[in-house]
Amino acid sequence: MRNPLIEIYDILLDFFGPQDWWPGDTPFEVMIGAILTQNTNWGNVQKAVRNLMHAGALTPHAIYKMENERLSELIRPAGYYNIKAKRLKSFVEFFMEKYSGRTDKIRETDMTSLREYLLGVNGIGPETADSILLYALEKPVFVIDTYTKRILSRHGIMDSSESYDSFQELFHESLPAKVPLFNEYHALLVKTGKEFCRPKPHCHGCPLKR
Ligand code: SF4
């Protein structure tokens, strides 16, 4: 029998085509987006990012220096803006103080250590840390989200009550550790979750029905 995770990937890629994720012009913008996207949709994140850009504040240095109140105001469209402003500040403080806000420097750190550092930052959980690692820093780590858990559990591959780490381990054991593959696969699962595998599944027409 073929590896079911590879089979799912092939079916989704064939059906939807490449997704070309993650929207963001620079690695720092992707990092910021990974924090802002918590509990909101991507359209709202884009509005907040545009505000930061127009204010000339889409750099680690600018956010590091900015007052929390001003930052909250700029990212208001992303929702939970006071909490997210604190989270952004915590992340940027970490990034500036440890790596001088330089992407080339943070990339040099090995993935395991970097993941631990990120998880130590206030407000950064496994999904956000892994999104930063994969999409901004091109480290081969699989991002697990609600869609991933839902799709795999509905197909009897893993129970949804299993931990984030167990789901991630399954992907890491089943697939070659390649950034483009992890990137594309996660995007395809999100697409499937949004279009078909909603809280109430729309199996009719879904490529995974067969
Ligand atoms: S919508 Fe149905 S067929 Fe599609 S992934 Fe969900 S459970 Fe599977």
Side-chain angles (χ1 to χ4, degrees), residues 1 4 9 19 27 32 36 131 153 196 208:
M1 195 183 134
Y9 176 74
Q19 296 302 295
I32 294 301
L36 292 176
S131 297
S153 64
F196 298 103
L208 295 184

Side-chain angles (χ1 to χ4, degrees), residues 155-183:
H155 285 267
I157 294 169
M158 189 172 258
D159 197 277
S160 61
S161 62
E162 291 285 347
S163 66
Y164 184 100
D165 291 348
S166 304
F167 271 90
Q168 190 176 60
E169 220 174 281
L170 180 68
F171 279 92
H172 286 176
E173 282 168 0
S174 309
L175 304 171
K178 295 204 157 80
V179 171
L181 171 66
F182 286 2
N183 181 327

Side-chain angles (χ1 to χ4, degrees), residues 150-151 154-155 192 196-198 201-204 206-210:
R150 190 187 289 154
I151 293 166
R154 283 181 175 165
H155 285 267
T192 310
F196 298 103
C197 209
R198 300 180 194 162
H202 295 253
C203 299
H204 184 69
C206 175
L208 295 184
K209 186 157 187 255
R210 64 192 151 102

Side-chain angles (χ1 to χ4, degrees), residues 15-157:
F15 185 82
F16 291 115
Q19 296 302 295
D20 198 19
W21 256 32
W22 175 299
D25 290 339
T26 63
F28 183 65
E29 192 178 324
V30 176
M31 293 178 205
I32 294 301
I35 294 169
L36 292 176
T37 199
Q38 296 167 346
N39 302 307
T40 193
N41 65 49
W42 192 251
N44 292 334
V45 173
Q46 284 178 313
K47 286 179 200 157
V49 168
R50 265 199 301 273
N51 285 351
L52 288 169
M53 199 183 298
H54 291 151
L58 205 50
T59 66
H61 190 258
I63 293 180
Y64 188 66
K65 293 269 171 204
M66 191 178 280
E67 296 287 333
N68 272 22
E69 247 177 49
R70 170 81 176 130
L71 184 57
S72 299
E73 199 49 48
L74 289 171
I75 63 163
R76 183 183 275 264
Y80 303 99
Y81 46 91
N82 287 327
I83 295 171
K84 288 183 183 177
K86 278 193 199 139
R87 289 179 179 174
L88 279 184
K89 286 290 262 193
S90 301
F91 168 71
V92 167
E93 276 161 21
F94 153 77
F95 189 30
M96 287 292 289
E97 285 160 19
K98 201 162 177 62
Y99 298 103
S100 313
R102 285 177 53 185
T103 306
D104 57 335
K105 280 196 165 193
I106 194 172
R107 272 205 182 112
E108 283 169 8
T109 309
D110 72 274
M111 190 173 80
T112 310
S113 310
L114 188 50
R115 191 170 191 269
E116 268 174 36
Y117 297 154
L118 287 170
L119 290 174
V121 175
N122 171 43
I124 294 195
E127 188 182 334
T128 306
D130 292 339
S131 297
I132 291 172
L133 288 168
L134 178 66
Y135 288 104
L137 302 174
E138 296 170 3
K139 304 277 186 187
V141 62
F142 204 92
V143 178
I144 304 298
D145 63 1
T146 311
Y147 299 121
T148 314
K149 285 190 164 191
R150 190 187 289 154
I151 293 166
L152 262 61
S153 64
R154 283 181 175 165
H155 285 267
I157 294 169

